[in-house]
Amino acid sequence: QYLVEKAGNYPPRFTDRRERSQAENDTKQMVAAIDQLVVQPNASFELLLRAVQLNQVARNLDIGAQSAVKAGVYMRRAITLNPENAAANYWYGTMLTEGGGFKEGIPYLNNAAKGGYKKAYLGLAQAYLHIDQRPNALSALESYSIAVPEQQAATSHLIEEVRAGKTTVWMP
C-alpha cells in the first residue's frame, strides 16, 4: 500500500533519495514475485489487481521496461473477471489516461467514482482538463470535495486554480 500511495500515480512523490531508492528495490522484488504468480490462467482477481498496481508503480519509477505492457495485460484479465469493481475501473482508467487515452479512461474513472472509489474524481478532473472540458473537471473536483471532506481546503484551492486557468490537477 505504501508503494501505491507514493508511486501509484505519476509523478511519484518521495521525501528524499533514500526513500525512493528503497521503494525501487522493494518494487523490483515484489514485481518479480507477483509476475510469477499471475501468469497462471487461474490467477485470482485480487492477485491480478495487485500485480497491476505494482507494475504501475514500477512504470512510474522507470524501473520496469515492460511494466506498462504487463499492467495492461493483467488489467484486461481483471476487468474481465470483475467488470464492475470500482478499484479495477479506477486503475484501468488511470492507466489509460496516464498513457494519453483521456477520453478512453473517463468511462472507467466514472464507474470507479460511482462505485465509491473517491480518488477517481481527481483522475476525472485531470482527464477532463486534458480534453478541454473545464466545467466537467470542476464538477469532478466539487464531487471530490464532498466525498472527501478532510481534503476540502486543498480541493477548494485546486478548484480556484482550475477556474483561473490551471490545466493540471495534483493533490499535495
Side-chain angles (χ1 to χ4, degrees), residues 126-149:
Q126 186 70 27
Y128 283 129
L129 285 171
H130 276 283
I131 61 171
D132 202 28
Q133 292 186 13
R134 191 168 305 277
N136 288 337
L138 288 167
S139 177
L141 287 172
E142 289 164 1
S143 294
Y144 182 76
S145 182
I146 293 165
V148 188

Side-chain angles (χ1 to χ4, degrees), residues 56 59 75-76 89-109 127:
Q56 276 287 94
R59 181 193 70 120
M75 189 73 259
R76 283 186 289 284
N89 276 276
Y90 169 76
W91 282 97
Y92 197 39
T94 297
M95 286 173 54
L96 291 168
T97 59
E98 287 183 354
F102 303 107
K103 288 181 183 176
E104 296 82 0
I106 287 172
Y108 294 97
L109 292 169

Side-chain angles (χ1 to χ4, degrees), residues 4-84:
V4 171
E5 289 173 13
K6 290 292 193 169
N9 294 100
Y10 193 83
R13 297 172 186 218
F14 294 101
T15 54
D16 57 41
R17 282 188 219 158
R18 183 189 58 74
E19 182 184 32
R20 182 180 173 120
S21 178
Q22 183 64 50
E24 288 174 358
N25 290 332
D26 291 347
T27 301
K28 286 176 187 177
Q29 290 175 9
M30 286 190 267
V31 165
I34 204 165
D35 280 352
Q36 291 179 3
L37 299 172
V38 293
V39 295
Q40 303 302 319
N42 63 344
S44 71
F45 168 80
E46 291 78 15
L47 190 62
L48 286 163
L49 190 58
R50 183 65 62 197
V52 167
Q53 293 169 334
L54 284 169
N55 276 282
Q56 276 287 94
V57 167
R59 181 193 70 120
N60 292 341
L61 293 172
D62 297 321
I63 59 172
Q66 292 297 313
S67 293
V69 173
K70 290 188 299 184
V73 169
Y74 303 153
M75 189 73 259
R76 283 186 289 284
R77 286 176 59 199
I79 286 281
T80 299
L81 290 173
N82 196 345
E84 299 304 315

